[in-house]
Amino acid sequence: MATQMKSAPDTLPVTIDDVRMAHARIAEAIVRTPTFISRTLSKMTGATVYLKFENLQFTAAYKERGALNTLLQLDHNEMGVIAASAGNHAQGLAYHANRLGIPATIVMPTTTPTVKVMQTESHGAQVVLFGQTFDAAYAHARELEAERGYTFVHPFDDARVIAGQGTVAIEMLADAPSIDTLIVPIGGGGLISGMSTTARAISAERGGAPIEVIGVQAELFPSMYNRINGTDMACAGDTLAEGIAVKEPGAITSGIVRALVDDIVLVSERSLEEAVSLLLQIEKTVVEGAGAAGLAALLQHPERFRGKTVGIILCGGNIDTRLLANVLLRDLARSGRLARLRIVLRDQPGALYGVARIFEQERVNILELAHQRIFTNLPAKGLSLDVECETRDLAHLERLKAALHAEGYEVSPVELG
């Protein structure tokens, strides 16, 4: 998608006035989350990096802004509301519907992380698990809407939802007016539609250069990228960013993105994992894969943002704890702080001691050992030893391998995929 600054046409369905009215409407019931500069990430990336901590909302995601703005404008319906969601829209809608005394039913894909299902139920909603994808859950929710008389609340393709999500930019640009570039995750497009509407209008009011708006999607689910660029890349796979794993973006949101968004970049799963890990290590904040997509774009495309003052939205923090542990351990392995080495030994007394002595000399901590005598192509008197160990960094690991080689051991790393 060619980069070009855009201005808002008069025919778009959401205006800055809609966003400002939404902000006034929901202000007392949502958290005005902070926007902080990250000096460490700024130094790492060559950009001035501001972070908006939407993972500090009560439901740990920005989605409750749009959900609440919509609920407050609905006519009374004693049957209640229904939605389809991969998680964060579900929690935001469930929480505020329960607070307002409105029954809520949420249809979620069967692949939704358990933590999101449990949290949604804890907010008083009835959860229906259906289908493998958001699209299947969405279709079933619309069927239930027709059968039972519910009011459907769309997770992204609704002007009221879009206006509510745009309130993120109202706060962010008030707290950090020097921001010249917003990097915004895209699933269905509700957040970037609201934020680009707000950014364009505020830029015009200030009379300065337009704020650039860059969308980011996971490489496995480039649905909006396909829609805008006319490409046909596959949308499938097990992405860490399940919150933006949407196969079909909205009709309303696609029109706004086409009119207002300057560029869309794609990020790899590895970049998403690195971003989640860095945010925990550096900012001491838990962010899910979709919430880390903005930082992932900055890490994977540093030349695109170098020298700019960048605003990143940490839009959600609902990540399964076991998945988070896996991400952190994989990042330690890639950085050399955790390693698994395969060492060939002779099957004789003292062989293990000889290896352990070298680990001790190099001050490397051994975490786990595994021998293999049977399922190996080594001679009958040989064995392979897998050693999982903890080092300070890659240089420390290389010194250990060199010391083992110097003592005549055959050593190979067991690589992380």
Side-chain angles (χ1 to χ4, degrees):
M1 183 174 180
T3 302
Q4 52 181 329
M5 294 293 186
K6 300 181 180 181
S7 59
D10 297 331
T11 55
L12 292 179
V14 180
T15 68
I16 186 62
D17 289 338
D18 295 324
V19 178
R20 285 177 171 144
M21 286 189 290
H23 197 232
R25 192 178 289 122
I26 69 175
E28 292 184 359
I30 56 105
V31 179
R32 195 189 191 288
T33 57
T35 299
F36 294 138
I37 192 169
S38 175
R39 302 193 185 284
T40 304
L41 292 176
S42 297
K43 184 176 180 180
M44 285 178 59
T45 61
T48 301
V49 180
Y50 283 92
L51 304 174
K52 172 75 163 162
F53 287 80
E54 281 296 288
N55 57 333
L56 298 181
Q57 291 293 343
F58 180 74
T59 61
Y62 78 97
K63 284 279 192 175
E64 60 183 78
R65 294 172 179 268
L68 177 57
N69 188 49
T70 304
L71 286 170
L72 291 173
Q73 297 179 77
L74 293 179
D75 294 331
H76 176 71
N77 179 354
E78 63 182 19
M79 300 307 296
V81 295
I82 189 169
S85 172
N88 288 335
H89 177 64
Q91 291 180 59
L93 184 67
Y95 168 61
H96 286 290
N98 186 52
R99 194 176 57 79
L100 295 169
I102 302 171
T105 301
I106 309 294
V107 184
M108 307 177 88
T110 57
T111 53
T112 301
T114 302
V115 64
K116 293 187 177 182
V117 176
M118 294 172 60
Q119 288 172 343
T120 303
E121 290 176 333
S122 74
H123 296 310
Q126 178 187 358
V127 173
V128 176
L129 296 175
F130 186 90
Q132 294 288 311
T133 64
F134 166 79
D135 302 277
Y138 173 84
H140 188 60
R142 299 315 295 250
E143 290 173 2
L144 293 177
E145 173 197 12
E147 290 173 7
R148 303 180 186 179
Y150 297 134
T151 298
F152 186 80
V153 180
H154 201 285
F156 49 82
D157 212 31
D158 183 299
R160 297 163 297 187
V161 169
I162 292 167
Q165 318 306 29
T167 64
V168 174
I170 291 278
E171 297 173 5
M172 199 170 187
L173 297 175
D175 292 345
S178 62
I179 288 173
D180 57 39
T181 305
L182 291 169
I183 309 177
V184 187
I186 303 178
L191 179 61
I192 197 168
S193 293
M195 292 196 68
S196 59
T197 298
T198 304
R200 290 289 169 258
I202 289 178
S203 295
E205 290 170 358
R206 291 176 179 174
I211 296 168
E212 192 176 20
V213 182
I214 309 297
V216 53
Q217 291 198 288
E219 288 178 353
L220 292 176
F221 281 85
S223 54
M224 186 68 80
Y225 185 96
N226 282 341
R227 179 73 61 87
I228 300 303
N229 292 286
T231 51
D232 191 30
M233 292 183 284
C235 289
D238 195 10
T239 178
L240 180 63
E242 79 277 343
I244 54 174
V246 177
K247 288 189 174 182
E248 289 294 332
I252 297 173
T253 57
S254 295
I256 295 174
V257 169
R258 192 181 301 278
L260 300 182
V261 173
D262 299 292
D263 200 2
I264 300 175
V265 298
L266 304 178
V267 293
S268 67
E269 293 302 301
R270 182 163 181 169
S271 293
L272 289 165
E273 290 182 26
E274 183 183 2
V276 168
S277 181
L278 281 175
L279 287 164
L280 185 57
Q281 293 178 60
I282 293 172
E283 299 300 329
K284 308 300 184 277
T285 192
V286 174
V287 179
E288 64 190 87
L295 178 58
L298 189 57
L299 296 171
Q300 188 168 331
H301 305 279
E303 71 292 338
R304 177 71 179 76
F305 303 103
R306 190 170 288 116
K308 296 182 180 296
T309 301
V310 174
I312 292 174
I313 308 90
L314 307 182
C315 55
N318 290 309
I319 185 170
D320 183 84
T321 50
R322 183 177 59 82
L323 177 59
L324 177 61
N326 288 343
V327 169
L328 296 175
L329 290 172
R330 285 164 63 91
D331 187 65
L332 288 175
R334 290 189 176 115
S335 67
R337 293 173 61 191
L338 284 181
R340 178 169 290 178
L341 300 178
R342 183 158 294 160
I343 306 170
V344 178
L345 304 178
R346 289 183 60 80
D347 193 1
Q348 61 186 24
L352 182 58
Y353 170 78
V355 170
R357 178 179 54 81
I358 297 171
F359 275 75
E360 190 276 333
Q361 289 173 352
E362 297 298 324
R363 308 302 299 167
V364 174
N365 190 30
I366 295 175
L367 302 175
E368 187 175 313
L369 297 171
H371 289 82
Q372 182 53 258
R373 289 181 171 85
I374 307 303
F375 296 97
T376 175
N377 57 6
L378 294 172
K381 291 186 176 181
L383 64 87
S384 66
L385 174 69
D386 281 5
V387 184
E388 187 173 312
C389 59
E390 182 180 23
T391 62
R392 291 191 294 272
D393 51 30
L394 279 172
H396 191 198
L397 177 60
E398 290 303 317
R399 288 196 299 273
L400 170 66
K401 290 162 63 178
L404 288 164
H405 283 299
E407 292 290 334
Y409 292 102
E410 182 182 330
V411 183
S412 60
V414 180
E415 298 288 353
L416 181 69

